[in-house]
Amino acid sequence: MIKNYFKVAWRNLFKSKSSSFINIAGLAIGMAVAMLIGFWIYDELSFNHYHKNYKQIARVMQKQTANGNIYTQRALPFPLGEELKAKHGSDFKYIVMSSWQGGHILSIGEQRVSQEGAYMDVDAAKLLDLKILKGTNEGLKDMNSVLLSAAAAKAIFGNAEPINQVIKIDNRQDVKVTGIYEDLPYNDEFRDLKFIAPWQLYVTSEPWIKNSMNEWGNNSFQTFVQIADNADFTSVNKRIINTKLDRVPAEDKKYNSLIFLHPMEDWHLRDHWENGVNTGGLIDYVWLFLMIGVFVLLLACINFMNLSTARSEKRAKEVGIRKAIGSVRGQLIGQFFIESLLVVAFAFLFSLIIVQLILPWFNDMANKKMSVLWLNPLFWLFGIGFALFTGIIAGSYPALYLSSFKPVKVLKGTFKAGRFAAIPRKVLVVLQFTVSVTLIIGTIIVYRQIQFSKDRPVGYDRNALMMIEMKTPEFENKLDILRKELTDNSAITEIAESSSPVTGVWSNNGGISWPGKDPNQDADFATIWVSHDFGKTVGWQFIQGRDLSKDFATDSASLVVNEAAVKFMNIKNPVGTMVKWGDNEHARNYTIVGVIKDMLMESPYEPVKQAFYLLGKNPNWLNLKLNPNKSAAESIKKIEAAFKKYVPSAPFDYKFANDEYAKKFSDEERIGKLAGFFTMLAVLISCLGLFGLASFVAAQRTKEIGVRKVLGASVINVWQLLSKDFVWLVLISCVVAGPLAWYFLHSWLQKYTYRTAISWWVFAAAFSGALIITLLTVSFQSVKAALMNPTKSLRSE
């Protein structure tokens, strides 16, 4: 019997080639979308799972209260690590202090490479469960040692033996390679961690750290922990919450600094904080794309249901004869399920081909490195289960509907589908286009939000602005000589140093006071140290006052502030105002000499923070303004030659401010591209179904159309007759989709302080687009039917 089911199913598959093609194509696309989304979701949910004890690893974080708001941050004071070990050591298996992961230069002889790395405590390799390929995970016990990733070892040593080789970090620290660890996977927080050097080496080699060893107010470090096997995060958080608050000076207790653990499982997916509360993060997009995947697959299943039930009259006699000769309903249901499973089987095979072909492009768009696990039995288990589930969902309604026909009516020739038989199909079409229109509106709003933020004034000129990180001591005191050479050869127009990159803020400081300040106001300012001519280099836009200048010796105690700072300080005449920084014997007085337009250095979606710029102290970046009258390629060659001449120990690594600014939109642009891609496929699937339904409606009404044409109906009249029902269905979809889209998108936009408006024309454009797509889809069949010679359809009458 099963063999007979398959034989009949195979015949029906080829008997109706057009509907079979539409069914298989729609289901293949829907299943491919669901698989791609499934791969993406699995990759997101398995982030950081490389580490064996990821469920017990956490980052220590703190909450601080200022100006009525609670701020959450990773940066911590130096003494916290030792305090946790001393007071709460039994709660933890490992406590690892760490510097911030950043770019460094590793060199041996003339070989120099730029690699990202960090200085971490001796238990770092154990906490991260690094797979040591050579050497030992105890390698960091020697202060002058280093662990390298396999990729870093390959880049530095090639095929030579790296163990016990001595290399330099930033051309100033000699360290011996004591271990090589396996490269971390792409979906890992530490994937770019190419070397780990000892924490003690960092502490002893950086003079500023020595001054921070007992400072509870200097938040410049990170701490990672692994809780003890018998501990849990909730109880440990209760015990450590006041670790910092108990030790800070009395004047800092007003910040109410509370310590807590952020589990590794949540680092990637739940890293957004508002007023001290975790508000999610990428997990929101995981749920969003899960829903999109389900809906796109549902759209494909709806196509199958609609086309199967639309052909009900053609299958009615088959059902009647089968029942008349003894078939029970269960056998008919089995027959129709076999047909749906056969269609799904073909669709599943084609979906695998589609996924394999577009996965490289999808990886590039989604910033992933996913692959189809062809040899993994679990993949095939889930894949076959997924196909069976799809077949059951797609085939359930047709099987139950077709098997319910009464044989007496069918064989007497009195069976008609009836005026209400099409209602379920119409409901399903409305559902299809409701989903499609909602996705279209959502995609438009995502792109508008991105463009709205891109068009935001940035307060400086980032065009042709090159940034070079000063990673080695050789950069010291080279500013003037580089300026002379590069301006003489016309490669640049300006050059200046800064403590932070133009597209980021690396330091924030409190303890600021000024005349008229509210005693209860907490003053926390973004702080950027610069050299002379920084304003000219980046193109500051002055509102009041002047730039920091070499012509004024007093400018060593002068400030340039932004608009946000003036508003925050609530001062009417800022130029000339005295500002005091510090509350102790080291406090200094500064004078505001200029006010600039807000320079957007951090998130383009948030308000610009109050900031001040002052001369001196620890420059980290060189900023160069390329000559606009020379080609960029020519200028870069001249700059590279000058750097090789004056800073030979450092590789010539540069960034452009435009490129770094563009990276701030990468997450939203990626989500927008993914949403746009899935929306396009959802619309395509809906159109396939609509095309199939239109062809069946035209076939059913062939004789009616012939009669109308004989009576004088024009092609336009027939086109209107066949199209109006579909247009009404899509209009109903638009009415339903509009409020739904507004509700979800309004909620999504609330997470952005700087956000676009949801304009009426977005809905009008989406609705118009849906109607145009509908008319184009059904018009082919409508016009074809209208142009048919009526004698062909009426010859049998």
Side-chain angles (χ1 to χ4, degrees):
M1 186 177 291
I2 298 296
K3 180 181 178 181
N4 184 63
Y5 285 168
F6 276 103
K7 187 182 292 185
V8 173
W10 184 264
R11 287 172 181 168
N12 279 315
L13 195 65
F14 283 91
K15 185 178 178 181
S16 305
K17 293 184 177 66
S18 60
S19 62
S20 296
F21 171 78
I22 291 172
N23 278 331
I24 292 172
L27 282 170
I29 294 170
M31 294 174 81
V33 169
M35 276 193 275
L36 288 172
I37 290 177
F39 289 160
W40 183 83
I41 289 174
Y42 176 77
D43 190 82
E44 293 292 327
L45 293 178
S46 61
F47 224 87
N48 293 326
H49 286 197
Y50 174 86
H51 309 283
K52 179 181 176 182
N53 299 305
Y54 69 90
K55 290 187 176 182
Q56 294 176 290
I57 298 172
R59 175 186 280 120
V60 184
M61 299 181 68
Q62 66 171 320
K63 299 175 185 178
Q64 290 186 301
T65 303
N67 299 315
N69 295 314
I70 301 174
Y71 299 94
T72 306
Q73 64 183 51
R74 303 175 183 180
L76 301 166
F78 185 97
L80 182 66
E82 292 302 322
E83 187 74 5
L84 289 175
K85 290 177 184 178
K87 297 288 182 64
H88 306 282
S90 61
D91 287 321
F92 301 102
K93 190 171 183 178
Y94 303 116
I95 297 175
V96 174
M97 291 291 290
S98 174
S99 67
W100 298 96
Q101 186 175 314
H104 297 269
I105 297 168
L106 305 182
S107 59
I108 181 170
E110 296 301 314
Q111 177 71 4
R112 299 178 181 86
V113 296
S114 291
Q115 298 286 341
E116 283 206 15
Y119 295 84
M120 305 178 80
D121 262 334
V122 293
D123 291 324
K126 295 177 182 177
L127 180 139
L128 298 177
D129 191 38
L130 299 179
K131 293 177 174 56
I132 303 298
L133 305 176
K134 293 181 179 180
T136 172
N137 63 2
E138 302 281 352
L140 296 179
K141 286 187 175 180
D142 181 354
M143 189 173 75
N144 294 101
S145 61
V146 69
L147 300 178
L148 297 179
S149 71
K154 182 74 174 177
I156 299 168
F157 299 103
N159 294 322
E161 175 57 52
I163 297 297
N164 293 326
Q165 295 281 352
V166 176
I167 63 174
K168 283 184 177 292
I169 301 178
D170 295 333
N171 206 37
R172 57 179 177 169
Q173 298 167 339
D174 289 319
V175 291
K176 183 169 67 175
V177 179
T178 54
I180 306 296
Y181 59 88
E182 181 181 76
D183 293 323
L184 291 141
Y186 199 71
N187 64 338
D188 193 275
E189 180 88 6
F190 298 98
R191 69 187 182 196
D192 295 323
L193 187 70
K194 301 304 181 185
F195 76 87
I196 305 174
W199 174 249
Q200 286 304 315
L201 177 64
Y202 185 57
V203 171
T204 56
S205 61
E206 297 286 352
W208 68 273
I209 296 180
K210 295 177 182 178
N211 299 326
S212 306
M213 293 178 73
N214 296 310
E215 289 187 8
W216 284 91
N218 184 348
N219 299 306
S220 300
F221 311 95
Q222 295 190 92
T223 302
F224 301 99
V225 299
Q226 180 179 328
I227 60 174
D229 295 336
N230 59 348
D232 63 87
F233 288 120
T234 303
S235 58
V236 173
N237 277 332
K238 289 179 181 178
R239 288 192 286 271
I240 68 170
I241 188 169
N242 292 319
T243 303
K244 180 182 177 183
L245 188 62
D246 291 341
R247 297 300 304 272
V248 295
E251 63 269 19
D252 289 339
K253 290 190 182 293
K254 61 183 179 181
Y255 297 116
N256 194 34
S257 301
L258 304 178
I259 302 299
F260 70 99
L261 303 180
H262 188 213
M264 181 181 263
E265 274 192 298
D266 295 338
W267 291 358
H268 181 67
L269 295 175
R270 299 174 180 86
D271 65 340
H272 289 182
W273 305 85
E274 288 183 14
N275 208 29
V277 178
N278 188 297
T279 55
L282 273 174
I283 190 65
D284 300 331
Y285 293 113
V286 169
W287 286 112
L288 170 66
F289 284 115
L290 176 62
M291 287 192 293
I292 289 176
V294 170
F295 279 124
V296 170
L297 185 60
L298 182 61
L299 296 184
C301 292
I302 288 172
N303 281 354
F304 184 88
M305 295 177 190
N306 275 344
L307 294 180
S308 297
T309 55
R311 295 172 58 231
S312 59
E313 288 190 31
K314 291 186 177 181
R315 305 280 313 259
K317 285 185 179 180
E318 176 193 339
V319 173
I321 292 170
R322 282 177 175 273
K323 282 193 172 184
I325 62 176
S327 289
V328 296
R329 190 180 183 190
Q331 291 173 321
L332 291 170
I333 289 174
Q335 170 66 54
F336 292 125
F337 267 124
I338 291 293
E339 289 184 22
S340 69
L341 289 172
L342 187 62
V343 170
V344 168
F346 279 109
F348 179 62
L349 292 175
F350 282 117
S351 69
L352 289 175
I353 295 171
I354 293 170
V355 168
Q356 183 63 31
L357 289 175
I358 69 172
L359 192 56
W361 173 82
F362 185 78
N363 274 333
D364 183 61
M365 180 174 63
N367 192 30
K368 296 289 183 184
K369 289 187 178 179
M370 302 178 294
S371 60
V372 181
L373 304 174
W374 298 108
L375 301 178
N376 189 331
L378 283 176
F379 167 74
W380 289 107
L381 182 64
F382 279 108
I384 293 170
F386 168 62
L388 287 172
F389 174 76
T390 304
I392 291 169
I393 294 296
S396 57
Y397 176 60
L400 295 172
Y401 176 71
L402 294 174
S403 65
S404 67
F405 293 164
K406 303 298 182 184
V408 176
K409 288 186 177 181
V410 169
L411 296 178
K412 277 185 175 181
T414 59
F415 171 80
K416 292 290 181 184
R419 58 183 297 191
F420 298 110
I423 289 178
R425 291 199 294 276
K426 291 180 178 180
V427 171
L428 292 175
V429 169
V430 169
L431 177 59
Q432 272 190 319
F433 273 86
T434 298
V435 172
S436 297
V437 172
T438 302
L439 288 175
I440 291 170
I441 295 170
T443 301
I444 295 172
I445 292 295
V446 169
Y447 277 105
R448 273 180 52 81
Q449 172 62 19
I450 294 168
Q451 198 56 49
F452 181 76
S453 299
K454 281 186 174 180
D455 293 339
R456 183 180 178 182
V458 296
Y460 68 100
D461 182 10
R462 61 180 187 271
N463 293 314
L465 183 59
M466 178 187 285
M467 306 183 298
I468 298 175
E469 189 173 2
M470 301 162 66
K471 297 177 182 177
T472 72
E474 278 191 286
F475 277 97
E476 292 179 14
N477 302 317
K478 297 291 172 61
L479 179 63
D480 291 334
I481 194 170
L482 285 170
R483 176 186 286 111
K484 185 177 188 314
E485 175 142 340
L486 294 174
T487 51
D488 286 350
N489 65 21
S490 301
I492 65 170
T493 56
E494 295 290 348
I495 183 172
E497 295 173 336
S498 59
S499 60
S500 298
V502 175
T503 52
V505 174
W506 284 12
S507 180
N508 293 276
N509 288 274
I512 315 296
S513 58
W514 59 90
K517 177 191 174 186
D518 183 342
N520 297 317
Q521 186 178 16
D522 298 312
D524 183 51
F525 285 73
T527 313
I528 301 94
W529 286 270
V530 300
S531 65
H532 294 102
D533 299 321
F534 178 80
K536 291 181 183 177
T537 304
V538 302
W540 271 347
Q541 299 169 22
F542 277 87
I543 298 172
Q544 295 182 43
R546 60 173 177 83
D547 199 351
L548 300 167
S549 172
K550 294 178 181 177
D551 298 332
F552 296 87
T554 54
D555 273 4
S556 60
S558 297
L559 301 175
V560 170
V561 300
N562 63 1
E563 290 176 285
V566 174
K567 291 177 183 176
F568 181 78
M569 298 164 76
N570 194 27
I571 45 179
K572 294 183 179 179
N573 300 301
V575 175
T577 298
M578 295 290 293
V579 174
K580 183 181 179 183
W581 185 3
D583 299 320
N584 51 32
E585 66 275 8
H586 301 296
R588 288 193 63 184
N589 291 319
Y590 293 86
T591 303
I592 297 175
V593 297
V595 179
I596 59 170
K597 286 188 176 180
D598 288 335
M599 185 173 171
L600 184 56
M601 301 177 72
E602 297 185 286
S603 171
Y605 302 109
E606 299 296 334
V608 175
K609 186 176 183 179
Q610 57 272 13
F612 57 75
Y613 304 82
L614 66 164
L615 293 173
K617 191 176 179 182
N618 299 328
N620 296 306
W621 291 84
L622 272 176
N623 307 283
L624 304 93
K625 188 71 171 180
L626 271 57
N627 190 335
N629 300 317
K630 300 286 183 181
S631 73
E634 181 184 349
S635 296
I636 290 171
K637 284 182 181 178
K638 291 178 179 179
I639 296 169
E640 183 177 12
F643 273 76
K644 285 183 177 178
K645 179 178 177 181
Y646 297 111
V647 196
S649 66
F652 181 58
D653 294 331
Y654 62 89
K655 302 175 181 178
F656 280 102
N658 254 334
D659 296 336
E660 294 304 299
Y661 184 76
K663 289 179 182 177
K664 295 178 181 292
F665 302 93
S666 60
D667 285 345
E668 280 72 16
E669 285 184 329
R670 192 174 303 119
I671 296 299
K673 287 177 182 177
L674 289 171
F677 173 63
F678 295 135
T679 298
M680 180 185 69
L681 293 180
V683 172
L684 176 61
I685 292 170
S686 298
C687 289
L688 277 174
L690 207 59
F691 181 85
L693 275 181
S695 66
F696 278 112
V697 170
Q700 282 180 327
R701 304 181 73 173
T702 300
K703 290 180 181 178
E704 178 192 345
I705 292 167
V707 172
R708 287 177 179 273
K709 290 198 71 177
V710 168
L711 296 175
S714 66
V715 172
I716 295 296
N717 295 143
V718 175
W719 174 77
Q720 289 176 337
L721 174 72
L722 296 178
S723 300
K724 66 179 182 180
D725 284 345
F726 294 107
V727 169
W728 275 112
L729 293 178
V730 172
L731 286 174
I732 294 170
S733 299
C734 292
V735 171
V736 176
L740 274 177
W742 185 90
Y743 174 78
F744 287 115
L745 291 166
H746 177 73
S747 300
W748 176 72
L749 285 172
Q750 296 312 302
K751 72 177 186 175
Y752 300 107
T753 304
Y754 195 80
R755 55 182 177 264
T756 187
I758 303 178
S759 304
W760 66 268
W761 68 260
V762 173
F763 294 86
F767 297 164
S768 301
L771 286 172
I772 291 169
I773 290 170
T774 301
L775 289 172
L776 289 174
T777 303
V778 302
S779 288
F780 176 80
Q781 292 294 345
S782 301
V783 173
K784 181 181 174 182
L787 293 175
M788 186 182 296
N789 190 335
T791 59
K792 290 184 179 180
S793 58
L794 298 176
R795 67 174 59 171
S796 63
E797 295 298 313

